[in-house]
């Protein structure tokens, strides 16, 4: 499928990790965006956030990331919120933020991992800016962005990566690259998520989402073999042929298994 165009939506909020956790606490399955905003506003959980800012957080960040479709993503994350190790839960938020923001996903796959695998220790603001400029030149935005917008979006990309533990935090023009390896519960979660989206085994193994964690198809096979030791799936491979037996009936059952 053709990727959605790049947008400036990250300007509404980067990782928003703590805010997301608070919103998951008060979100209920029947809530849509407007109801969640009203509940959050009256909850007292965001005393230092203006009403307008809170509306942007809910409508421009939380909803596109976690309330698409029937809200299943929010239901699953609410279940896992206090059950998974913090690094694994953070990686799930990272996954859904990248899905909602193709520019972030491409930056991670094309710049972060290229630098990481190339043996570099840092990513600079100019690396992010050049990436954004290439995207604009390649027609990945609906219209050309101004120079100031390009600079801001480049800063959003490195800041968001810092929020999710890929880069050093802080207001820096040069950020240290941090070690980032997929957590075992996330391996099982992502594999099952792709499977229940209707993908065949080989499509699951080759899906671009694994690239967010720096994994090739062969890497994914090895990670799933490790995950199979927890009993959530069975994987058999011979040469280039891989077959996966999905032992759980739905994502809710998987979450029960992970917790």
């Amino acid at each position: 499928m053709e990727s959605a165009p790049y947008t400036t939506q990250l300007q509404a909020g980067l990782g928003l990790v703590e805010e997301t956790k608070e919103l998951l606490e008060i979100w209920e399955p029947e809530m849509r965006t407007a109801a969640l905003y009203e509940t959050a506003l009256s909850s007292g959980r965001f005393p230092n956030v203006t009403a307008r800012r809170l509306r942007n957080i809910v409508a421009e960040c939380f909803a596109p990331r976690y309330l698409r479709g029937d809200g299943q993503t929010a239901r699953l994350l609410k279940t896992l919120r206090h059950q998974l190790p913090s690094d694994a839960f953070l990686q799930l938020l990272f996954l859904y933020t990248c899905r909602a923001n193709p520019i972030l996903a491409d930056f991670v796959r094309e710049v972060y991992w290229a630098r990481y695998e190339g043996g570099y220790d840092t990513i600079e603001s100019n690396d992010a800016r050049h990436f954004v400029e290439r995207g604009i030149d390649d027609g990945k935005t609906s219209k050309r962005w101004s120079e100031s917008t390009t600079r801001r979006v480049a800063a959003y990309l490195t800041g968001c990566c810092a929020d999710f533990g890929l880069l050093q935090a802080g207001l820096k023009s040069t950020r240290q690259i941090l070690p980032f390896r997929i957590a075992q519960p996330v391996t099982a979660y992502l594999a099952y998520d792709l499977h229940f989206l209707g993908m065949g085994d080989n499509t699951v193994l080759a899906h671009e989402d694994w690239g967010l964690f720096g994994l090739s198809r062969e890497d994914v096979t090895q990670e799933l073999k490790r995950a199979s030791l927890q009993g959530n799936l069975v994987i058999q491979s011979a040469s280039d042929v891989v077959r996966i037996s999905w032992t759980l009936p739905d994502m809710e059952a998987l979450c029960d298994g992970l917790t």
Side-chain angles (χ1 to χ4, degrees), residues 15 37 42 46 55 137 143 162 169 182 194 201 207 236-238:
Y37 164 68
S42 61
F46 303 91
R55 185 188 299 275
D137 290 341
K143 63 179 181 179
I182 193 168
L194 297 174
D201 293 353
H207 196 274
Q236 299 171 305
S237 62

Side-chain angles (χ1 to χ4, degrees), residues 83-101:
Q83 306 298 329
L84 288 184
S86 59
D87 63 328
F89 187 77
L90 185 65
Q91 288 183 11
L92 291 181
L93 301 188
F94 164 69
L95 169 66
Y96 285 111
T97 302
C98 286
R99 285 181 174 180
N101 296 274

Side-chain angles (χ1 to χ4, degrees), residues 43 56 64 78 106-107 140 142 145 153 170 222 226 234 240:
S43 69
N56 285 340
K78 189 177 179 74
D106 287 351
F107 177 75
K140 294 185 177 181
S142 58
W145 291 344
V153 172
Q222 295 305 313
R226 281 189 277 271
V234 178
D240 292 333

Side-chain angles (χ1 to χ4, degrees), residues 3 9 13 22 25 33 46-47 63 67 71-72 76 80 92 109-110 150 167-168 184 186 205 241 248:
S3 178
Q9 195 173 56
E22 292 291 344
E25 289 289 337
T33 304
F46 303 91
L67 293 184
Q72 183 192 40
L76 297 175
L80 296 171
L92 291 181
R109 286 189 290 254
E110 297 173 18
T150 298
L167 295 175
Q168 182 184 23
Q184 193 170 93
V186 178
L205 294 172
V241 179
L248 300 173

